[in-house]
């Protein structure tokens, strides 16, 4: 596998990733993950990030933040805010679909 290869798949809710696996899945260095977790921008803000396990929610959030940081030259805090807004929109769409399954 090459560093530019993109892996696409679906993680099960009970599956988790290590720091290195999350970084690889997002095409970033582990330092990027550590800095963002310690800044409290995703996951639990743990200081011991290297032993932490990351969920599919963390993976989706990290990918969104990376997309915003790179695509809009955003600082990490603004990328996290953008990810927050996208997550909220996803939640609202889910609620709307539950109320009207035809949409």
């Amino acid at each position: 596998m090459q560093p530019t290869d993109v892996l696409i798949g679906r993680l099960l809710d009970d599956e988790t990733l290590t720091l290195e696996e999350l970084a690889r899945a997002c095409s970033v260095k582990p330092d990027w993950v550590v800095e963002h977790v310690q800044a409290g921008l995703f996951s639990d803000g743990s200081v011991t990030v290297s032993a932490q396990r990351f969920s599919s929610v963390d993976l989706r959030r990290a990918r969104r933040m990376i997309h915003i940081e790179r695509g809009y030259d955003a600082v990490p805090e603004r990328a996290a805010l953008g990810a927050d807004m996208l997550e909220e929109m996803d939640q609202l769409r889910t609620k709307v679909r539950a109320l009207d399954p035809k949409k």
Side-chain angles (χ1 to χ4, degrees), residues 22-69:
L22 178 66
R24 193 172 339 121
C26 293
S27 300
V28 295
K29 294 183 179 183
D31 289 346
W32 183 94
V33 177
V34 171
E35 290 169 8
H36 285 69
V37 170
Q38 288 178 343
L41 302 178
F42 76 96
S43 195
D44 66 1
S46 174
V47 178
T48 57
V49 180
S50 60
Q52 190 170 345
R53 302 293 294 188
F54 297 91
S55 69
S56 59
V57 172
D58 294 324
L59 173 61
R60 182 173 46 248
R61 181 171 178 80
R63 284 181 170 171
R64 283 178 167 169
M65 290 173 57
I66 292 163
H67 174 75
I68 294 168
E69 285 180 18

Side-chain angles (χ1 to χ4, degrees), residues 6-17 25 54-60 63 94 97:
V6 177
L7 297 176
I8 298 177
R10 181 182 165 143
L11 289 177
L12 300 175
D13 288 337
D14 58 348
E15 295 294 321
T16 58
L17 298 170
F54 297 91
S55 69
S56 59
V57 172
D58 294 324
L59 173 61
R60 182 173 46 248
R63 284 181 170 171
T94 299
R97 280 189 212 108

